[in-house]
Amino acid sequence: MSNKPRKKKKKRKTKKNSSGETVEDNDLEDIDSLLERIEDPRLAPQSQGGITTDSRPLLYVEHRNLNPENELKRYFGARAVLGDQRPRQRQRQYVRSMWLTAPKNTWPRYSKTGITMQLLDTRRGVQHFTFEHHREYQQVQFKFLDAVESMDPNNIVLLLQMSPYHVDSLLQLSDVCRMQEDQEMARDLIERALYSLECAFHPVFSLTSGTCRLDYRRPENRAFFLALFKHLMFLEKRGCPRTALEFCKLILSLDPENDPLCVLLLIDFLSLRAREYTFLTRLFQEWESHRNLSQLPNFAFSVPLAYFFLSQQEERPELERSQARERAARLIQLALIMFPSVLMPLLDHCSVQPDARVASHPFFGLNAQISQSPALNQLTSLYVGRTHALWKDPAVMAWLEPHVHEVLRMVEAQDVLVQEAEHKRKIRYQSAPRNIYRHIILSEMKEATAALPLEVTSQPVMGFDPLPPLDSIVSYTRPERTSLPSNESTLSLFFRSLLPNFNLQGDIRHDGDDEAGAAQDLNQGVNRLMAAMRDMLANIQFQEPPRDDNPEGDGDWD
């Protein structure tokens, strides 16, 4: 990248010369164009052997790939995406340009919220930051917690009318809108939360460098992780997997060692959806030695699938394609040996009937699912539920079939690899770490959610802070409440007892001056609770345990 100083003369935009340099315009638009040229993959060093695309850091984030409009333009063309919109520079007079999301004219006018970001320290080239809540924001946060405990979304709406950029309120109300099938509003609220947080960025905080860290143990930082995660889930559903992958890389770069939202369980799926096969294989190669990615079912199966897709790219040299075929074959066999419980549910989701030998073999049969630990069942269920559509391609199934038969031959020959894998399954996966539970809850994958343990499902889970870390670093605490809602019914008391900060001894009942109004509010609250209970009970599905005397049980697995 050129480090030449800016030219003092203001010149009009000119074409770039043979070296790729440009003459700057007097408009801010040239900054975007410069960054796009810097980040142009055609200007990056090419790889040898098809393993890496360039010499940039693995988790390097490209600004242009954070904008879903750029991806949609590639699919449908600029005219279809932008329509009659005016050029971007026309809007810059009114709103501040951001990287994470585009501000909308329909949003409330932004003013400082009381969130700032501080640089804590720099260690070995890595900068550690934290968000901070000033006193005025803390007061809003306390009101938000009161609104959550009231179990009335209208109270959160009222709070947002007073503080339209309070982040946790935006996250929580987004969940409410999503449950009510208002996807557009739910997505808009998440984007507004991202905008609020980006406005608080420290001047040296970088989204792209991959060297800026945020500690998830600090409650002030969690909203940023969660907003990014919810945003990328919306992007993936909108058909923007490449943009979602870039946000996934951003989340991972904020805390790659601890990965608090366990996006490693998602990044392979987004890489395959975005056809970024080389990135996935590079991630596996660089991280396998110290992160044991092959011990995660999603990497064990997705990486050989990526190599298979690379081997099908005719524009690649035949040597690269041959190497990719060999690696795909070796890795898919290891995956089937290590995680045999994946095959039959995967085929079932793909509506593929296995042949008689595979269907009747005990290695891939029902015992493979029953005998594995609950923690491993959560991982395999999550992978199958999330990625089965990628395996439906007839070419993929044709590639998979001979490797399944080869694994059965190794099993019957009592190959040492099969015995080692069985031993590993028994001693590992005894219990899942908290970040995996958090990921499953946020992903809302029915197959995996049904496998969550009772200690997770029996506690209240708040959308603005699901399963907070047990070693949280608390910088300020909520003051004790001196009074609580009067004339509470047993039902209301029961629901409130499920929430954090419940204190029965702190209940001080007061006779209100307007008992009629209180009674009306109470009746409305009970009606809302009963409606919520009806919805909850209507959606509960009880999963019966497998029974030996079920005459149809074997037929389902054949």
Side-chain angles (χ1 to χ4, degrees):
M1 188 175 77
S2 176
N3 291 322
K4 293 181 180 180
R6 287 176 176 251
K7 296 186 178 183
K8 294 183 179 179
K9 289 185 178 181
K10 292 185 180 180
K11 296 184 178 181
R12 294 188 178 274
K13 195 176 294 184
T14 61
K15 297 181 180 179
K16 63 179 180 181
N17 57 27
S18 58
S19 64
E21 296 177 349
T22 60
V23 179
E24 293 183 310
D25 189 25
N26 60 348
D27 194 289
L28 289 175
E29 187 71 26
D30 66 316
I31 298 176
D32 290 342
S33 60
L34 273 172
L35 285 168
E36 288 188 6
R37 278 187 282 275
I38 292 169
E39 295 170 350
D40 192 337
R42 293 172 297 180
L43 305 180
Q46 297 300 312
S47 67
Q48 295 183 356
I51 305 304
T52 59
T53 54
D54 52 55
S55 58
R56 294 177 298 186
L58 179 66
L59 297 181
Y60 176 84
V61 174
E62 298 186 36
H63 275 138
R64 63 184 181 135
N65 285 334
L66 293 174
N67 186 354
E69 282 189 0
N70 292 332
E71 183 172 5
L72 293 172
K73 287 176 191 175
R74 288 196 295 270
Y75 297 150
F76 306 109
R79 184 179 298 274
V81 175
L82 297 178
D84 296 328
Q85 292 182 26
R86 296 291 106 194
R88 292 175 56 192
Q89 56 263 33
R90 294 282 182 90
Q91 299 177 3
R92 284 203 168 126
Q93 305 169 20
Y94 311 106
V95 294
R96 179 177 174 182
S97 180
M98 314 298 282
W99 291 118
L100 295 177
T101 184
K104 300 177 182 178
N105 294 330
T106 56
W107 289 356
R109 184 176 182 86
Y110 178 82
S111 59
K112 289 187 177 181
T113 61
I115 301 182
T116 58
M117 179 186 278
Q118 299 297 327
L119 173 62
L120 296 177
D121 57 25
T122 302
R123 299 191 297 269
R124 296 189 295 275
V126 176
Q127 297 169 309
H128 295 261
F129 295 86
T130 185
F131 285 98
E132 289 186 348
H133 294 172
H134 292 184
R135 183 178 298 276
E136 61 270 23
Y137 193 90
Q138 293 179 18
Q139 299 302 318
V140 179
Q141 187 73 9
F142 299 150
K143 294 178 183 178
F144 164 73
L145 295 175
D146 292 342
V148 170
E149 291 188 0
S150 73
M151 303 194 72
D152 186 354
N154 293 322
N155 291 333
I156 301 179
V157 174
L158 293 173
L159 181 61
L160 280 174
Q161 290 177 352
M162 301 297 296
S163 304
Y165 287 93
H166 180 256
V167 178
D168 283 351
S169 296
L170 293 167
L171 295 180
Q172 191 71 25
L173 192 59
S174 174
D175 284 351
V176 174
C177 293
R178 189 166 46 80
M179 293 175 186
Q180 295 177 349
E181 304 299 329
D182 190 350
Q183 302 294 329
E184 188 68 29
M185 178 58 70
R187 188 173 73 226
D188 187 80
L189 293 169
I190 293 298
E191 292 178 0
R192 203 199 302 180
L194 283 175
Y195 177 77
S196 177
L197 290 165
E198 188 173 359
C199 287
F201 278 0
H202 191 278
V204 299
F205 181 81
S206 171
L207 294 171
T208 61
S209 67
T211 59
C212 295
R213 303 286 184 265
L214 288 172
D215 193 341
Y216 194 81
R217 294 176 300 170
R218 296 179 180 271
E220 297 89 340
N221 294 337
R222 293 174 202 159
F224 189 49
F225 284 87
L226 295 168
L228 290 172
F229 189 93
K230 292 172 185 287
H231 185 56
L232 78 84
M233 296 297 285
F234 279 121
L235 289 170
E236 194 276 327
K237 291 176 181 177
R238 285 178 64 194
C240 299
R242 183 64 186 87
T243 310
L245 174 62
E246 210 69 11
F247 275 91
C248 193
K249 289 162 60 178
L250 173 58
I251 296 174
L252 189 57
S253 73
L254 295 176
D255 192 352
E257 291 78 17
N258 300 306
D259 190 11
L261 300 187
C262 211
V263 293
L264 280 177
L265 297 178
L266 174 66
I267 198 167
D268 63 297
F269 168 67
L270 295 175
S271 300
L272 292 172
R273 283 267 284 117
R275 301 183 180 180
E276 292 290 326
Y277 310 127
T278 305
F279 167 77
L280 179 56
T281 56
R282 180 188 175 191
L283 174 65
F284 181 75
Q285 286 193 340
E286 292 189 14
W287 283 26
E288 167 63 12
S289 60
H290 67 282
R291 298 294 287 269
N292 293 321
L293 296 182
S294 60
Q295 301 308 300
L296 293 172
N298 58 308
F299 272 94
F301 281 87
S302 289
V303 172
L305 186 59
Y307 276 121
F308 168 74
F309 286 133
L310 286 173
S311 71
Q312 302 298 298
Q313 295 179 347
E314 296 182 356
E315 67 273 13
R316 291 185 175 273
E318 180 55 36
L319 178 60
E320 287 186 18
R321 296 174 63 188
S322 175
Q323 291 175 347
R325 276 192 296 270
E326 292 175 3
R327 292 177 183 176
R330 186 180 75 254
L331 291 175
I332 192 60
Q333 291 177 18
L334 291 175
L336 290 166
I337 291 172
M338 187 66 200
F339 306 107
S341 64
V342 170
L343 179 65
M344 299 305 285
L346 184 62
L347 295 179
D348 184 54
H349 275 74
C350 295
S351 301
V352 173
Q353 183 72 22
D355 58 38
R357 183 190 178 205
V358 175
S360 60
H361 202 287
F363 186 72
F364 290 121
L366 182 58
N367 186 60
Q369 280 79 33
I370 297 176
S371 61
Q372 69 182 1
S373 67
L376 182 54
N377 185 36
Q378 293 153 16
L379 293 175
T380 57
S381 299
L382 181 69
Y383 179 72
V384 172
R386 174 174 278 157
T387 62
H388 63 86
L390 300 172
W391 292 82
K392 285 186 176 181
D393 188 343
V396 173
M397 283 296 164
W399 161 73
L400 178 64
E401 184 177 8
H403 297 303
V404 172
H405 286 283
E406 175 62 21
V407 168
L408 288 182
R409 186 197 63 78
M410 297 171 66
V411 171
E412 293 167 354
Q414 296 183 347
D415 192 290
V416 65
L417 286 176
V418 179
Q419 298 174 5
E420 289 178 354
E422 184 179 2
H423 178 67
K424 289 178 181 178
R425 285 196 301 274
K426 287 182 179 179
I427 63 175
R428 298 175 181 174
Y429 314 107
Q430 295 302 313
S431 62
R434 199 168 176 85
N435 62 336
I436 289 182
Y437 294 150
R438 197 178 292 127
H439 177 91
I440 292 174
I441 290 172
L442 288 170
S443 299
E444 297 181 347
M445 196 68 59
K446 291 180 180 179
E447 294 86 347
T449 305
L452 285 172
L454 185 62
E455 62 265 21
V456 174
T457 56
S458 62
Q459 59 180 294
V461 177
M462 298 299 170
F464 68 95
D465 190 9
L467 295 185
L470 300 177
D471 56 347
S472 296
I473 302 175
V474 179
S475 58
Y476 67 93
T477 57
R478 182 184 180 188
E480 293 186 7
R481 302 173 67 186
T482 56
S483 63
L484 290 166
S486 61
N487 297 326
E488 282 190 299
S489 67
T490 304
L491 184 62
S492 177
L493 188 65
F494 165 73
F495 269 95
R496 199 164 53 77
S497 69
L498 300 180
L499 297 171
N501 305 313
F502 173 69
N503 181 10
L504 182 61
Q505 295 178 350
D507 284 345
I508 303 176
R509 299 188 178 276
H510 298 279
D511 293 331
D513 295 332
D514 48 348
E515 294 182 359
Q520 183 180 3
D521 292 341
L522 176 61
N523 289 332
Q524 292 176 353
V526 171
N527 290 335
R528 284 192 298 269
L529 290 171
M530 293 302 296
M533 285 185 66
R534 282 193 295 269
D535 293 341
M536 179 180 68
L537 293 174
N539 294 322
I540 288 179
Q541 295 181 352
F542 295 97
Q543 185 175 5
E544 294 186 2
R547 293 171 51 186
D548 295 336
D549 58 347
N550 183 3
E552 300 177 358
D554 295 336
D556 293 339
W557 289 99
D558 287 342

